Each structure stands twice: as structure tokens, then as C-alpha cells.
Amino acid sequence: MADQIEAKPEKWLARGTQMIKRNSMHLLDLMEQIMDLTKLEAGALKLSSVRGDALEHLQEVIQPFRELAEQKQIQFEFSPPKDNEILMDYDPDKLAKILSSVLSNSIKFNKPQGKVQLSLEKGPWSLDTPPPPHLSEGQLLIMTIKDTGIGIPEKQLPFIFDLFYQVDGSSTRSGEGTGIGLTLVKGLLVLMKGTINVSSEVGKGTIFKVNLPLFQDSTLAM
Ligand SMILES: Nc1ncnc2c1ncn2[C@@H]1O[C@H](COP(=O)(O)OP(=O)(O)O)[C@@H](O)[C@H]1O
Ligand SMILES: [Mg+2]
């Protein structure tokens, strides 16, 4: 594209620079994902937590996905926790990456007139492991991302968190991606002592459930 702009700026300058920008952003995104993955594997990825209302932060993370959904004629519904706040210690950047990755999938593997529902709730500890110390009263943040997209065949479901795994077929391949997203999500959740579960039905849709301990005053980097 850069060559084309050079050769015929009057024809390509506007459209071409836009394309270059968009593709550069994708490339940067991919680089970051690969970097995160490499750091995770080396045990060099650390949490850098702040204390505050994660709801405000999450609402900012969601905004571009509202717009993306609208462009694709997908209905986006968001329901915040009843008391409208999520006080916790959290790593803003990594929390954003988790939600973004799952949300982008729920839009990417959806269809026009489809729906994405994101709900945030606080609830009591329900994980298999005993609760770690320094939890807030709510104990768990439960993020549920439900879509009415193409769904995932039962046989493939156990593999979607594997590195580079993508469910086969041209329908999924028509979307961009590399199969890194969910591997990274899972890795980040290990750092945060959280979990992710999925259930799906082909043709009906998919539900991801992310559970995160509501740490308060904790030293997460244990
Ligand atoms: N909400 C969803 N609906 C249908 N399939 C999904 C959904 N989320 C993930 N998948 C499947 O899991 C695969 C792995 O997801 P991910 O690691 O994010 O890779 P990518 O998005 O780069 O393809 C996807 O390629 C897709 O086949
Ligand atoms: Mg993805």
C-alpha cells in the first residue's frame, strides 16, 4: 500500500493511509499478544494492580465494542452489578485484555441481528479452590458474556483455550484471528487466581463465564 501511495498519491493517499494505520494497529496488537504470551511462559509477566472501582474501567473497555457491535448490527446489552460498583485491587491493563478478548470473539463469531449480553455480578466464593485471604465481602466478580453466535461444536470445546487453536471451517476463518486470544486469557487468569468456563451450542450461541477473586488490600504478586 505504501508503494501504491507513492506511485499514485492522488488515488491512494486517503484510503491507503487508513489501511496502513488499521493494519499497523493489528500488527501492534499481535506483537503485544506474542510478547505477553512469551512473558507468561517465562513467568515474567507480573500484575501491576491498583485499588479502585473496576466498573468505571470496564465501562471504558466496553465502549469500543458497543460501537463495533452496532456496525455489525449486533445488539449489545450490558448489565452492571446491582450496587453499581466493583471495588477491588486489579491490574487495569490485564483485566481489559481478558474482557476485550472474550467480547471481541462474541462479536466476531456472531451474525447480523445477533445479540451479545455482558453481565457483571458479585457473588460468594464458588470455585473449587479454597478462597484466598483478603477478599472483599462480595468475594467473586462474575463476568458473563453470552452471545447468539455460531456456537462451538462439543468436540472442539475442550481445545479452544489451546494455543493457535481455531475451530475449523470457513465460517470461523472468515474472521481475523490467530488463536492466541483465549490462551492468553487463561494465562492471565492464572496470574489473577481466576477461572474461565465455557458452554456452547452450535447455531445457538456461546456463554463464557469469568470468575475473578475480589481482592482487597492484597499483595497479588505472591
Ligand atoms: N464466542 C465464540 N463463538 C464461537 N466460537 C468461538 C467463540 N469464542 C471463541 N471461539 C472459537 O475459539 C477459537 C479460539 O479463540 P481465540 O483464541 O480468541 O482465537 P481467535 O479469535 O484468534 O480465532 C476461535 O477461533 C473460535 O473458533
Ligand atoms: Mg479471539
Side-chain angles (χ1 to χ4, degrees):
M1 192 39 77
D3 287 341
Q4 264 161 301
I5 294 173
E6 250 173 12
K8 276 193 181 171
E10 65 290 350
K11 183 172 177 200
W12 288 110
L13 190 61
R15 196 148 41 111
T17 36
Q18 251 185 11
M19 219 183 269
I20 289 174
K21 271 195 209 164
R22 197 169 57 234
N23 287 323
S24 306
M25 288 308 287
H26 274 146
L27 206 54
L28 186 62
D29 205 46
L30 188 61
M31 278 293 298
E32 266 191 35
Q33 285 195 322
I34 295 170
M35 285 297 290
D36 280 352
L37 207 64
T38 313
K39 282 189 187 169
L40 260 175
E41 279 171 0
L45 198 63
K46 302 278 184 247
L47 291 177
S48 164
S49 294
V50 299
R51 181 125 200 250
D53 186 358
L55 179 58
E56 274 174 31
H57 175 61
L58 289 173
Q59 265 162 338
E60 272 171 38
V61 173
I62 294 164
Q63 195 49 42
F65 293 101
R66 287 183 190 277
E67 279 154 36
L68 184 66
E70 199 179 310
Q71 276 169 29
K72 295 185 125 197
Q73 294 173 37
I74 292 164
Q75 203 183 325
F76 189 102
E77 279 175 20
F78 172 59
S79 62
K82 282 191 218 98
D83 58 356
N84 256 305
E85 65 169 16
I86 307 171
L87 267 182
M88 67 188 289
D89 297 339
Y90 66 100
D91 181 322
D93 179 51
K94 297 188 181 63
L95 187 61
K97 281 176 179 163
I98 291 172
L99 185 60
S100 302
S101 196
V102 181
L103 270 184
S104 85
N105 283 346
S106 69
I107 294 173
K108 180 162 66 170
F109 299 107
N110 217 313
K111 42 201 178 227
Q113 319 312 328
K115 205 187 212 180
V116 171
Q117 288 166 294
L118 166 66
S119 87
L120 304 178
E121 296 161 279
K122 288 178 273 187
W125 192 258
S126 60
L127 309 186
D128 295 337
T129 50
H134 310 299
L135 291 181
S136 81
E137 244 170 82
Q139 295 200 308
L140 265 189
L141 169 63
I142 304 142
M143 303 199 278
T144 311
I145 301 97
K146 185 176 173 193
D147 69 61
T148 59
I150 60 173
I152 303 164
E154 203 181 337
K155 270 198 202 146
Q156 262 109 326
L157 214 48
F159 307 111
I160 60 165
F161 296 99
D162 293 353
L163 187 53
F164 304 133
Y165 189 85
Q166 298 183 299
V167 174
D168 245 330
S170 54
S171 59
T172 60
R173 285 292 166 158
S174 71
E176 288 153 348
T178 48
I180 296 178
L182 288 180
T183 309
L184 208 50
V185 166
K186 200 143 194 183
L188 291 172
L189 280 166
V190 171
L191 275 186
M192 299 181 182
K193 306 196 190 307
T195 61
I196 183 165
N197 302 307
V198 59
S199 61
S200 189
E201 202 176 326
V202 172
K204 286 253 167 79
T206 305
I207 304 174
F208 282 92
K209 206 166 247 209
V210 176
N211 293 296
L212 272 176
L214 283 171
F215 284 114
Q216 302 267 15
D217 270 342
S218 67
T219 41
L220 284 170
M222 284 177 287

